[in-house]
Each structure stands twice: as C-alpha cells, then as structure tokens.
Amino acid sequence: MNPSSVNRSTTDFVVAVDALRSASNDVSQGQHCRERKSSAYLDERAKNFQANYEESVTKLNRYYKQVKRQILRFQSPTTGLFPRDLTEPQIISAHVRDSVYCAAAVWALAQAYKRIDDDRGRTHELAQSAVKCMRGILECWLHQAEKVEKFKQSQTPKNSLHSVFHMVTGESIFKDNEYEHLQIDCVALYLIFLVQMIQSGLQIIFTTDEVNFVQNLVFYVERAYRTPDFGMWERGSKYNNGSSELHASSIGLAKAALESINGENMFGVQGASWSVIYVDIDAHNRNRTIFDTILPRESNSKNTDASLIPTILWPAFAIHEEQLVNRTIEKVLRRLKGSHGLKRFLRDGHGTVLEDKSRKYYRPSEIKTFDGIECEWPLFYIYLIIDSVYKSDSEKVAHYQKLLQPLLLTSEDGPLVPRYYYVPKDCLEQEKNAPGTQIRLPSNEGKIKVNNESRDNIFLWGQSVYIISQLLADGLLNITELDPIRRFLPAAERPRPNSRYSSFQRGSAEQSSPNDLVIQVVLIAESVRLQQLLATYGIQTQTPHQIEPIQIWPPIELAKAYEQLGVNNKLGLSGRPPRPFGGLGTAKIYRACGYTFICYPLLFEVSDFYLSQDMEFVIDDVKSDLQFLGKCWKLAGRPTFCMILREDNLRGLGARHIFDLLAAFKRGDCDGIKVRIGRLQEFISSACIEHLDFLDMDADVENIFRPFLEKDKGKQFRSFTDIPKITKIDLTEAWVHNLELHQKTPWELTQSFNQTDNIYFQAQILQELLNREGLYFRVDGDTVEEKLVKLNHLAGTRQNWSVVRFCSSLLHKLVDSLAPSITAILVRGKQLTISVWGREEEVIDKPVSPNDIKSILYTKCFPYDVIQAVLQQELIINIGTFITTNPELFNGILKIRIGWIVQAMKLELKYYDDKDFSINSLSPSMIKKLLYNVIKRKSDEGQYYSPERSMLWNRQLDGALNRVPPDFYERIWRILERTPSGIKVAGYHLPQQPTLSDMTQYELNFSLLVEQMLSKIIDPAYRQIIVELFVIVEAILSRNPELSFNKAVDLDKLVHEAFELFLKDRGEKQKHDDMTAFYNTLPNVRHGTTIYMVRAIMNHLLDGDLRGIKDFQCIVS
C-alpha cells in the first residue's frame, strides 16, 4: 500500500464505524459467531466489502504482493522462521518474537482473503506459511524440553527457553550465558497467537506429545508474577548491566496467555477431551493482582515503558479496567512520545550514536549519556492505530495515520517502517538542551550494501504490525477476524470455548465480582458424634458418609491428580509441579474417572505448624478466604467453600469464634459477603464444575488418591460441656533463668527433665540436649526430636505460645505459604529484610524459594533469638495478607524490616499495657491484631502524627516502621541536585554522581537507595528525626533557589547541633546524649524540633556550608 492511500483508508474506516459498533453490540449480547462467513455478514463492513468488491480484491492483491516481497521472501524454507536482522553478513539468527509477528501478519491477510470465493489459492498458501512458522518455533522449543522441566523447578535464566535460533537448522545460536534468553513475554505472545490461529481453523498442533508440551509452556508462564526476566527489550533493568527484574509487560502478557488458552482444545473442533489445556486459576489470579499492582509502572528501574502498549492494547488486551488502561497509556505517551514515535524507555541507549556497540553491557552511570537523545520508534504509532480501530475512534485513527505517514520510507514494494529515528552526532548537544528541536534520521531500512552485495533491509516486526493496521483501516479485515477469541472484549462478553471446562465468565478479569455473588458453604463434620452435637445448637452439617458418592479430597490429593497433567516420558516432562492449590482452585467441584469430588482449602489441613492450633486465627483466615473469593472469583458458576469441622476445634476459648462464624453463615452474611449453607448435593447444579479429562480412565482412583474419611469417635456427647476443655490462657511465662545447664551431664539433664512439670524448663533442657547431642539423642526411649514434638503439642493444648514457638523453632519449622506472602510484598514495590533488631539484615528484593527463606530465618534470627525465627514467619504471613487486602496500610513504607516491626510491636505493647508479659506469649491471633494496630495510623485526615500517642511514641513507631511522608524520595532527589558533594547519614555517603546519572527522580530504585542509606540508623526515633530534617532542608532549598550546599550535607551533625540549641533553651548547661526529651517535642510549635533544626541549618549557612547570593533572606515557609 502506498502512503497516498492513507486518506482513502481512513474514509473507508469511517464508513464502517457504525457497523462495527453494531457488530460489537451483537457480540456483547452473546450472539458470537464462530464461522468465518457468519461473522463477516454480521459486520456491516462486509457489506461495504461486497459493494466495492472489485476495489477490495485489488487492494488485497496489492497487500499480497507486499507481504510476499516484504515478509514471506525472508521466511526460512526449513524452519519457517523469519530473520531478525537483515544487516548480518550471514543472515542466520531468527528471534521468536519477530517471527510470531511475521506469522501474525501473514495469517491476518489469509483471514482477509477468506471473503473472496476465487482467491486463487492464496488463503491456503498464506495460512500454511503462518502454520509453518508457528510449528517451526514449536519444534525449536521441543528440542529444549529439558529446560522447560528444569524451569518449572527453578525459574533462573540458565533454565529458560532460548529466544533466538538458527534460521536454517533451528539450533541454538547462543549459549545460556551468552544471551538474555529469559523473556516470558515472548513465550506468552506465542501462546496467544497459537490460540487465535487454532480458533480461526488452522491446525498447528499435530500430536499428543505437542499437546503435552504446550501444557508445559503454560506451566512455564504461570509463575511470571514472581520471575524476574529480561523483558521485551532483552536488557533487564534499564542500566543494561545483565540484571533481570520483574516486568509488568511480561506479567501482563502471561496473564493474557493464561486467559486465552484456558479450556482451549489444541486440535481445534476435531479435538478430543485429552487435547484440552488447563490453567491454574490461582496462578492466573496472582498474575492479575500483581500486574494491576505494578501498573502504571513497568519495573523498578523503568517508571514507564513503551512495551506496555502491546501488553495493554492489541495483541494481548491484558486488562479491561478503563481507568487503569487510560492512566497507563497516558503516562507512556506523556513521558515517551516524540515527533518521530515513542522512546522505548527513558535513557535507552539502543541505536544512539553514542552507544558503544562493541560492548554488551553499559558502564556504571553511562545511561546518563543517553538522556534526551533516546531513539524514537514509529512502531508504537502503529499499535495505537490498531487500538483506535478496535475502539471505533475514527479521529484517533486519522490522527496517528497522519503522524505515521511522514515517518515511512518509500520502496518499490511499498512503504517501509523504520526501526527507529536517531539524533545525528552533530545535533546531540542542541537536542539535549532543547528536546524535540533537532532533526532525526531513520535507521538504515531500505536498500543497503552488505559485503558489496545489494540487500533490502526491513524491520520485519514493524512491517508486520503495519500491514495488519492497514488491513484493518482499509476495512479489509474485521477486528473479530484478527481476534477470534475476542480478547478485546471483557471476559463476560467473550464466547465460552467449552462448557465442560471452567472459563472466565463473571465480569472482566479486572473488575470486582458482582455484588450478588453467593458463596456456597458446605459444612462437613468429621464424625457423626460431632454432627449430632452441632445439631443440638441448630447447626446442620453433613458427614463424609452422607455426601457419598461425592468424595472430599485434601488439597494435597488434588495437587497429586494435577501432577499427571502434561506428563510426557518421551520428552522428559513430569507434568504440573507439586504445588498446593489456592482458594480459587479449591472452590470448584471436580469430576474425573467417573468420580465427583470437592476439595477443602489448605487452611483446614492439619498442619504441623502451630498457627492451626489458634482457632481465632483460623476463623480469621476463613473470613479472609471468603473475602478473597468474593473479590477474585471470575469463573462461570458459584464458588463452593468446603469447611471441615473437627472436635479439636471446639476445645477451649476458640469454640465461641466458630459458633459466631456458623451463626453468621446461617444469617447468610459474613462480613458483607453473601453465603448460603446447605447440602452439597443441592449445590452441584449451580457450582463451577471442572472435568479432569487428563486423568487416566483406567487408573485405580481408590488406591491412588486418599479422600477425607469419616472418623468413628465412639461414645456420643450429650452436650457441648462434655467436650474436654482447655484451661484459660496464661500469658505469664515461667522461663528459668541463671541456669548452668551447660555444666550438667546428659544424664543429669534427663533427670531434671523428668522431675519438673514446668514445660518452660523442659523446653530449655531439650534445647541444651539438642545443642550438645543432636536431634536423635535418646531421652527415656524417645529422641530429642520426638520429645520436642510432644512438648510442642502439649504446649499448644495449653495455649502456652512461648513454648510452642520455642519448640517449633528448635525443630526448624517453616509455615507453608511463606514464599507467596513474600512475593505479594515484593511485587508491590516493597523490599523485605529479615533479622533480629540491631543485627545485620538480610535484604530480600526478589522472590525466593522456601528453602532459601528457611536458611535466612535460621541463620539471621535463630542464633540471636530462638523464638523470632518462627515469630517473624507469622509477621510475614500477616503482612502478606494485609498488603493484599489493605495496601493503603503500607503507604509511605518502602522497606519492610521485620526485626524493626517486632521492635515496634514491643513498643506498642509497652505503652498500651502495663502488664509484664512478653510478645512471645501472645497467641497468633493476638499477634495479628497487635501488628494491625501498629501499622494502622489512627490519625485524623491530614494529620501526620497520631494524637493518641506521645510524640516520642509516634516517632519511635514511624521510625521502626520506616514510614516516610508523601513525596519524600522526590525531596531527597531535589536536595541531591543542590549538593555536589552528596549527603551523609550515619556514616553512609550518598554521592551526587553517579546517582543522578544512573537514575531518574521517580524510579523505584532511587527510593530503595535512599532507604539503604537510612537503614544505617539504629535508633527508630532518631531515624524519624532525620526524615523530618530532610523535609526541612528541601523546603529551605526549594524556597531559595539561589542556594546550594558547598560541602556534603552531614545530617548527623545538623541534628546534634539542633539538640544542643534545644538543651541551651531549656537551661541545661551540662551536655549529654540522652535525646528523649528532644524526641518527645512536637515539631511545629514555638519551641518545637523544627525551629531548632532550621537554626542549625542557618548556622551552617553562616559558617559557609551553603553557597548562594551573598545578601539574601532565607525563606522557610
């Protein structure tokens, strides 16, 4: 197509706009049409196509020639792949992403040709060329099946699928460590187009081996939410130093791929039940939640990125929440849009004349060199044209066509899309000084010479997307033909692929579930005895025997069943990793091998970690799970919540919490969530049903899987009072101090153990034996380990939580869901540190495995405080819950330092309660409440400090929580701009350079660097004073632009001088280091801390530490 036809294309598009709206309405009303001819007739543009048949055929033939000359002639005849760089002396490398887009363009033209009866075989030719490419990629990856298997266990770059292959042989070109292969977005993009093409009628997957491999590709992308990769630009962080990071674009594409492929049959309409692909709904939800959380940011180092455009818009349509989409795209355009396209991201050196192409990585602070001269890519205007077509916005289509037209290059075979436009060498300084004023030159697309050979250089990715955009704008291609699975529609409006399998049908994947969602609750009593007892209180339950033939499976059995999904011995693939299912996966009802079963949530599993012994904590988790289901359930059918009731649950003080919950269930409302209790058999018809057709029909299900069975408890209870009770919780600890246990022999220790009833003393004796003799030393026939387990159970029965935690830590216990909780914290832009307060901290800034977490806890905490090794696990679990349900609680807290939070909780306990008991003696539910009270700010709106607490208390808490005011890190940036020698705090020096060169003001990495500086302070109250001082210094500098610091700003020196002024005004002549009174002084009063800090800064000004105009008036407010 020639540039001169752009106006005519736009006119054709305008004519079709109303018809597009009509067709979209038909689709949204559920009148989805799968067949090509039916969907074409539904679209008014098809009528326009028929009315101008000759002209349309002429256009299509012109596009056919263009595709043949500009794309298909470069396709490898052996692998079907397309080259990435046509300037290579020997064109051998093909990238998966570029090849997928080339295949998409060829397939799109084939879709357009389907409308012509006499297409001269072109529809089939084009379609099979796309199939050839998609199969070529699949075959390249099949040779790396062992990498997929390893990646499921450890998501590291060396285990990732390669993204570049030899065009002719399909072999790897680069070794694992020679190229940034880990690009999850690349695999996800392939899966999206694979499903689109199969839905259009193409047969791409031929064998069950390939079906199994595709299922394993789903496992590959499922954990995108916790896998740092190198992103769409293959550079990882923007510093281009070989480091990977979490990318919103990768997570978004993975989320879209999971939605696209869920329940799809890889053999198309001819497929059987065993060729269907399954998706873990909980993995999808984690990707969705974290993707929403990161937006509109791209990563820690990139505040925004053009890669978000193809993620949020076509082809992924990863999100449908209009407000978030608009905010993200508006930010991308505001920060990256130029006159010749969009920058990929700020300080991107790729393609600039200053980039040293002989080096793979940049040097420290080198990216500052590229500030203001980044290359601009016309490619993203094309994506915006496609999006405007989907939105039926003719004005935007015309706008971006107008912006694109002058950027295209001319050639004999039609317009060419340049890869980018760059600033020539002689215009660099002028462009930096006045952005957007200098000319830019296109990259060398068109006729070039390589080794004295004339060659056409084409940016195939951009050219492919351009052809698709013009087919749409010309009215030759319907949006539903380009998107057969209707990704552009919210989930509720998409056609359901198969009613046999669960699908996303309840609202868009980004919108909350409807207000009338009802959660079906099934109450299962473990025994007839318990059932009869509950019935006397009006609570109707069922036993496992009464719901037969339906079975109840523990979550571990469901995970065992799914381990058979995708198994292929020939390829060495083991199937789904043995990970537990979350709350969404256990809310379905399953059918397999002639059996129907329901799975109860993980929280009802009898765990060897002590949290399950606190019923109030468990009930709180039940409510959280119901809230989670109500918010995140997106599947067709109602969620079914199976609650297991055990006799042990009704012992002690926790029983009343269970009865309160069951009473709420009877009322039909649990904390605002609608619930309905009833018999399981009644809920089948309205539940979400999943058929596990991948299970072997000949499998001996009864012997392989172990369902939850009814227990015979014997004698009936006459009333609730017959159940043995637990004594009232005693928070007083009875540790024995000043012991000389290390001087006693093992025999003497054993005797002491047998002679005392003090379980605290017994725990201390077992610790001594453990340290000396090990876990397997025998004490009266039992090993030390067995004694610890028994003592742990006894202490749990008595609710002696200090002993429970002490024994659990000695046994090196680890709670199940710790890794997901840490991931939930990290993906919200936070860092986590683990240590005992005052000791060296271990910083966790990337998702880690359970074994790594265990190692950190028992090396950083256990040697200094035995109990904190498990107490900090509780806090991490609770923080993960709070940050998911109430993220606003953590506003102003960037680094979550668990050891410091423990200190804050001790302070809160000390101030609020005069009783002499330890935080270790509190139950898990009390710990959770205390943590919430510490984190929750109880101040009036607009008031920074809580009036309920003293100033010292406020400063200690905020300092311990690492809480800072809004825009704090931006203020530090502005101070750093005015301090050439940098900033000093607690012996840490933050230099002006290369900090300002490497980073930008709003990127997360700069904020984390500031937190690293502040982490050197060991006193929480002093840390908060330093934070206040930073705010004051920035206020003075911002109100007096002529000032800047001549020397490094020493914050410690300023604080101590302010303290001396404070003592002087109080009439204290003797200097001392006790700053308690200073910490307890309000800031903004007549003799407040702010006044003294301002005076200290003024004194430095008079001593010449500031420079500026000689005679000036310093403005503070």
Side-chain angles (χ1 to χ4, degrees):
M1 176 182 172
N2 295 319
S4 59
S5 65
V6 169
N7 292 333
R8 187 171 67 253
S9 302
T10 304
T11 303
D12 291 340
F13 176 78
V14 173
V15 171
V17 165
D18 293 335
L20 268 174
R21 291 197 181 103
S22 175
S24 297
N25 289 335
D26 289 341
V27 169
S28 66
Q29 293 165 10
Q31 299 174 4
H32 304 290
C33 204
R34 300 295 187 83
E35 299 296 327
R36 170 186 52 82
K37 291 183 179 180
S38 299
S39 62
Y41 284 118
L42 280 174
D43 190 347
E44 190 67 30
R45 283 193 301 175
K47 299 176 183 177
N48 188 47
F49 181 96
Q50 297 297 332
N52 302 281
Y53 184 83
E54 294 299 328
E55 182 183 355
S56 299
V57 170
T58 302
K59 286 183 181 179
L60 280 177
N61 291 336
R62 191 186 311 130
Y63 279 116
Y64 175 77
K65 293 177 182 176
Q66 186 177 358
V67 166
K68 290 284 283 186
R69 293 290 302 163
Q70 294 182 341
I71 295 179
L72 282 177
R73 75 180 173 113
F74 298 108
Q75 186 174 23
S76 168
T78 53
T79 63
L81 302 180
F82 292 86
R84 181 180 209 181
D85 186 1
L86 295 171
T87 64
E88 291 179 334
Q90 290 185 330
I91 304 173
I92 60 170
S93 62
H95 195 288
V96 171
R97 185 181 297 105
D98 297 60
S99 294
V100 168
Y101 275 112
C102 289
V106 176
W107 166 69
L109 184 56
Q111 290 286 87
Y113 258 111
K114 283 183 178 181
R115 298 181 181 180
I116 298 178
D117 293 331
D118 183 16
D119 63 357
R120 291 183 285 179
R122 291 177 176 178
T123 302
H124 182 75
E125 176 200 1
L126 293 166
Q128 291 309 113
S129 297
V131 170
K132 174 81 171 176
C133 177
M134 298 297 282
R135 286 197 55 77
I137 296 170
L138 181 67
E139 287 168 9
C140 289
W141 279 342
L142 277 167
H143 290 295
Q144 297 189 335
E146 77 283 352
K147 286 187 170 293
V148 177
E149 182 62 26
K150 290 178 181 178
F151 192 83
K152 290 188 295 186
Q153 312 305 325
S154 176
Q155 294 82 40
T156 60
K158 73 174 183 178
N159 294 336
S160 64
L161 287 170
H162 285 200
S163 54
V164 179
F165 295 96
H166 195 288
M167 272 193 64
V168 179
T169 65
E171 296 177 352
S172 297
I173 296 179
F174 302 104
K175 295 179 180 177
D176 294 342
N177 59 352
E178 291 178 343
Y179 196 85
E180 284 66 32
H181 289 292
L182 181 49
Q183 300 164 34
I184 290 179
D185 68 288
C186 199
V187 181
L189 184 73
Y190 175 83
L191 292 176
I192 291 171
F193 276 109
L194 177 68
V195 176
Q196 296 279 23
M197 293 180 187
I198 290 174
Q199 277 291 304
S200 72
L202 301 188
Q203 187 176 355
I204 299 174
I205 305 301
F206 291 173
T207 67
T208 55
D209 296 326
E210 293 173 0
V211 172
N212 292 332
F213 185 77
V214 172
Q215 180 65 66
N216 278 270
L217 289 182
V218 172
F219 300 149
Y220 186 96
V221 302
E222 273 183 349
R223 306 203 97 188
Y225 66 91
R226 51 163 294 140
T227 307
D229 71 343
F230 295 101
M232 199 173 290
W233 313 129
E234 306 169 14
R235 294 194 168 195
S237 73
K238 76 174 183 183
Y239 311 119
N240 190 27
N241 56 10
S243 61
S244 58
E245 59 183 1
L246 283 172
H247 289 89
S249 53
S250 294
I251 298 171
L253 274 156
K255 168 190 175 287
L258 295 176
E259 292 173 2
S260 300
I261 206 166
N262 181 48
E264 291 290 342
N265 199 308
M266 290 296 97
F267 290 165
V269 294
Q270 293 86 16
S273 59
W274 38 262
S275 53
V276 172
I277 301 298
Y278 292 79
V279 167
D280 180 357
I281 182 62
D282 289 286
H284 166 268
N285 181 69
R286 294 186 192 106
N287 281 291
R288 179 192 66 81
T289 303
I290 289 162
F291 180 55
D292 291 357
T293 301
I294 297 178
L295 290 179
R297 185 168 47 88
E298 161 70 351
S299 66
N300 282 5
S301 68
K302 286 170 273 195
N303 191 254
T304 190
D305 194 300
S307 62
L308 291 171
I309 288 180
T311 304
I312 289 176
L313 310 180
W314 180 87
F317 296 105
I319 188 171
H320 290 87
E321 186 181 350
E322 189 174 352
Q323 185 178 0
L324 189 53
V325 169
N326 293 339
R327 188 155 61 98
T328 303
I329 298 301
E330 186 273 331
K331 185 176 183 180
V332 170
L333 295 177
R334 186 177 73 251
R335 296 281 178 85
L336 304 178
K337 187 173 180 290
S339 57
H340 293 74
L342 270 67
K343 303 175 178 66
R344 298 195 305 182
F345 53 89
L346 297 178
R347 297 186 175 179
D348 172 27
H350 178 68
T352 62
V353 295
L354 297 181
E355 185 181 49
D356 185 352
K357 295 175 176 57
S358 65
R359 284 187 287 112
K360 182 178 180 180
Y361 299 128
Y362 293 160
R363 297 191 179 100
S365 76
E366 187 176 355
I367 63 170
K368 176 68 173 176
T369 312
F370 313 120
D371 194 10
I373 60 165
E374 303 93 338
C375 292
E376 295 177 357
W377 295 56
L379 167 68
F380 299 104
Y381 283 163
I382 305 173
Y383 279 112
L384 293 169
I385 290 172
I386 295 175
D387 179 62
S388 300
V389 173
Y390 270 96
K391 291 178 178 174
S392 303
D393 191 337
S394 57
E395 291 183 5
K396 283 285 182 66
V397 171
H399 171 71
Y400 287 114
Q401 292 273 37
K402 185 178 179 181
L403 290 176
L404 179 66
Q405 184 191 359
L407 305 178
L408 300 176
L409 306 177
T410 56
S411 75
E412 296 176 357
D413 302 314
L416 292 179
V417 179
R419 184 181 295 267
Y420 52 75
Y421 277 82
Y422 66 94
V423 179
K425 194 170 185 178
D426 54 354
C427 299
L428 292 177
E429 289 305 316
Q430 299 93 315
E431 178 67 17
K432 285 187 176 184
N433 294 331
T437 60
Q438 302 302 305
I439 63 166
R440 286 177 176 263
L441 302 179
S443 50
N444 62 340
E445 273 69 33
K447 290 287 184 182
I448 60 171
K449 281 197 172 183
V450 179
N451 296 335
N452 295 320
E453 172 194 351
S454 180
R455 185 185 294 176
D456 287 325
N457 181 31
I458 298 175
F459 173 37
L460 290 178
W461 176 0
Q463 201 66 28
S464 299
V465 178
Y466 172 73
I467 289 171
I468 292 172
S469 72
Q470 300 310 302
L471 285 170
L472 287 168
D474 270 350
L476 301 173
L477 182 67
N478 193 321
I479 57 174
T480 57
E481 291 168 338
L482 182 61
D483 184 9
I485 61 174
R486 314 297 200 269
R487 285 291 314 156
F488 68 96
L489 292 173
E493 300 174 23
R494 296 178 200 147
R496 187 172 181 178
N498 194 322
S499 59
R500 187 173 177 81
Y501 310 102
S502 61
S503 61
F504 301 100
Q505 289 286 299
R506 187 176 291 278
S508 75
E510 287 71 39
Q511 296 167 345
S512 297
S513 298
N515 295 327
D516 61 347
L517 175 68
V518 175
I519 298 176
Q520 303 175 156
V521 177
V522 178
L523 302 178
I524 303 295
E526 68 170 350
S527 65
V528 174
R529 180 170 75 170
L530 179 60
Q531 182 190 38
Q532 291 175 348
L533 173 64
L534 293 172
T536 63
Y537 292 89
I539 300 168
Q540 300 302 317
T541 61
Q542 291 178 281
T543 63
H545 180 70
Q546 289 173 337
I547 67 168
E548 290 179 354
I550 303 173
Q551 296 181 350
I552 301 171
W553 282 19
I556 191 172
E557 298 300 318
L558 181 62
K560 189 193 298 184
Y562 267 86
E563 286 177 34
Q564 299 185 33
L565 177 61
V567 172
N568 191 288
N569 294 326
K570 288 189 284 184
L571 293 172
L573 299 173
S574 63
R576 183 184 184 273
R579 292 191 290 263
F581 280 84
L584 299 175
T586 56
K588 301 177 184 178
I589 292 177
Y590 293 89
R591 284 182 175 151
C593 304
Y595 291 86
T596 300
F597 59 90
I598 188 172
C599 180
Y600 59 80
L602 192 62
L603 70 94
F604 295 120
E605 189 77 297
V606 177
S607 170
D608 60 352
F609 200 78
Y610 58 84
L611 294 179
S612 60
Q613 294 175 289
D614 181 5
M615 280 316 301
E616 186 176 356
F617 187 89
V618 171
I619 294 303
D620 196 47
D621 271 0
V622 170
K623 293 178 180 178
S624 296
D625 274 17
L626 293 174
Q627 291 281 351
F628 171 75
L629 279 174
K631 180 180 179 182
C632 299
W633 185 258
K634 310 298 176 187
L635 302 179
R638 289 175 177 170
T640 306
F641 187 81
C642 180
M643 183 172 180
I644 304 296
L645 297 170
R646 295 182 170 90
E647 288 184 8
D648 286 347
N649 302 152
L650 302 181
R651 301 177 188 273
L653 301 176
R656 65 181 178 86
H657 298 292
I658 293 182
F659 282 108
D660 289 344
L661 179 69
L662 297 179
F665 285 171
K666 286 193 70 174
R667 292 193 301 268
D669 182 275
C670 181
D671 291 352
I673 299 297
K674 292 182 179 180
V675 297
R676 180 176 298 166
I677 57 175
R679 298 172 67 250
L680 178 57
Q681 291 86 341
E682 297 171 353
F683 289 154
I684 296 289
S685 61
S686 56
C688 175
I689 308 292
E690 186 76 87
H691 291 79
L692 306 186
D693 293 330
F694 57 85
L695 285 177
D696 187 357
M697 290 298 295
D698 299 325
D700 188 0
V701 174
E702 292 184 0
N703 292 323
I704 295 175
F705 303 106
R706 300 185 180 279
F708 178 76
L709 299 176
E710 186 174 315
K711 293 179 173 56
D712 183 7
K713 293 289 186 176
K715 180 182 173 184
Q716 303 297 314
F717 290 133
R718 286 173 296 179
S719 70
F720 182 62
T721 56
D722 287 350
I723 299 179
K725 296 296 185 295
I726 298 171
T727 56
K728 186 178 179 181
I729 299 175
D730 184 7
L731 296 178
T732 306
E733 297 183 342
W735 298 108
V736 180
H737 301 288
N738 300 321
L739 292 173
E740 296 183 354
L741 293 178
H742 60 281
Q743 296 178 358
K744 294 185 178 182
T745 65
W747 182 85
E748 291 173 325
L749 290 172
T750 302
Q751 290 300 108
S752 298
F753 182 88
N754 292 330
Q755 291 170 5
T756 181
D757 292 330
N758 183 344
I759 62 174
Y760 294 87
F761 186 27
Q762 289 180 333
Q764 289 172 292
I765 293 171
L766 290 176
Q767 180 190 26
E768 183 66 27
L769 288 171
L770 173 65
N771 292 339
R772 270 202 257 168
E773 309 295 337
L775 278 173
Y776 304 108
F777 179 76
R778 291 202 167 269
V779 180
D780 295 336
D782 290 334
T783 63
V784 172
E785 182 181 28
E786 290 168 343
K787 286 287 187 186
L788 282 170
V789 171
K790 290 179 180 178
L791 187 61
N792 190 21
H793 179 74
L794 175 63
T797 303
R798 296 182 180 178
Q799 306 282 281
N800 293 121
W801 295 107
S802 283
V803 178
V804 169
R805 292 187 175 100
F806 190 81
C807 293
S808 296
S809 187
L810 291 178
L811 290 166
H812 281 35
K813 296 289 186 183
L814 190 75
V815 70
D816 287 331
S817 52
L818 204 57
S821 296
I822 289 177
T823 303
I825 294 168
L826 297 179
V827 297
R828 281 162 175 80
K830 314 292 184 185
Q831 280 190 344
L832 186 73
T833 69
I834 293 175
S835 76
V836 174
W837 185 68
R839 299 286 180 175
E840 182 184 1
E841 295 177 308
E842 180 78 21
V843 179
I844 300 178
D845 55 5
K846 291 182 180 178
V848 289
S849 68
N851 288 337
D852 291 336
I853 300 167
K854 185 174 183 177
S855 175
I856 293 169
L857 284 163
Y858 286 99
T859 54
K860 293 297 181 182
C861 299
F862 186 81
Y864 310 109
D865 187 332
V866 172
I867 288 180
Q868 282 210 35
V870 291
L871 179 62
Q872 294 201 16
Q873 294 183 49
E874 288 184 55
L875 297 183
I876 292 171
I877 292 290
N878 291 331
I879 290 170
T881 301
F882 291 153
I883 207 168
T884 301
T885 55
N886 303 100
E888 67 280 357
L889 291 175
F890 296 86
N891 288 346
I893 303 176
L894 187 60
K895 182 177 282 189
I896 297 175
R897 304 167 75 181
I898 303 298
W900 281 55
I901 288 179
V902 172
Q903 188 67 15
M905 294 170 69
K906 289 179 179 179
L907 288 169
E908 187 82 348
L909 205 59
K910 172 186 173 183
Y911 282 114
Y912 263 133
D913 205 313
D914 296 331
K915 293 179 182 177
D916 185 20
F917 55 79
S918 165
I919 189 175
N920 299 330
S921 64
L922 301 179
S923 68
S925 55
M926 295 171 73
I927 288 288
K928 188 173 185 179
K929 291 175 184 176
L930 179 60
L931 174 64
Y932 183 80
N933 287 335
V934 166
I935 296 174
K936 185 175 183 291
R937 185 185 296 281
K938 295 182 178 178
S939 60
D940 298 328
E941 187 174 351
Q943 187 171 353
Y944 185 65
Y945 291 108
S946 170
E948 297 180 4
R949 300 180 174 119
S950 69
M951 205 60 229
L952 171 63
W953 189 0
N954 272 302
R955 284 187 169 122
Q956 285 177 326
L957 280 180
D958 279 336
L961 292 172
N962 290 249
R963 202 193 299 272
V964 297
D967 304 325
F968 175 73
Y969 304 107
E970 289 84 350
R971 292 170 187 263
I972 303 294
W973 180 275
R974 291 193 286 270
I975 294 174
L976 206 55
E977 287 179 322
R978 308 273 282 279
T979 53
S981 299
I983 299 169
K984 289 182 179 179
V985 173
Y988 184 95
H989 180 228
L990 179 63
Q992 186 190 64
Q993 296 297 342
T995 306
L996 298 187
S997 300
D998 276 355
M999 300 178 179
T1000 53
Q1001 181 175 1
Y1002 298 102
E1003 76 176 67
L1004 187 58
N1005 280 349
F1006 174 71
S1007 304
L1008 293 171
L1009 185 62
V1010 173
E1011 280 298 330
Q1012 182 180 335
M1013 173 180 68
L1014 294 175
S1015 68
K1016 304 302 177 182
I1017 303 170
I1018 59 173
D1019 183 354
Y1022 183 74
R1023 183 191 191 279
Q1024 199 59 23
I1025 285 289
I1026 290 291
V1027 168
E1028 294 172 25
L1029 181 56
F1030 269 124
V1031 174
I1032 294 168
V1033 171
E1034 190 277 332
I1036 292 175
L1037 293 179
S1038 65
R1039 289 165 172 77
N1040 300 274
E1042 70 281 1
L1043 298 180
S1044 62
F1045 278 91
N1046 194 25
K1047 302 176 184 177
V1049 183
D1050 192 334
L1051 275 291
D1052 300 305
K1053 187 175 180 181
L1054 289 174
V1055 169
H1056 287 294
E1057 290 187 10
F1059 179 57
E1060 289 177 5
L1061 294 170
F1062 172 78
L1063 292 178
K1064 185 178 179 181
D1065 279 6
R1066 285 167 60 95
E1068 297 185 30
K1069 297 181 180 180
Q1070 186 70 31
K1071 292 185 179 180
H1072 57 81
D1073 295 330
D1074 185 5
M1075 299 180 68
T1076 304
F1078 187 67
Y1079 297 152
N1080 204 27
T1081 303
L1082 290 168
N1084 300 317
V1085 293
R1086 180 168 181 174
H1087 293 286
T1089 53
T1090 300
I1091 298 299
Y1092 295 109
M1093 287 190 276
V1094 170
R1095 286 170 61 185
I1097 296 170
M1098 293 293 293
N1099 289 341
H1100 275 259
L1101 167 67
L1102 297 175
D1103 288 342
D1105 275 7
L1106 286 168
R1107 64 183 179 194
I1109 299 174
K1110 208 166 189 181
D1111 299 320
F1112 70 92
Q1113 182 178 4
C1114 181
I1115 303 170
V1116 179
S1117 60

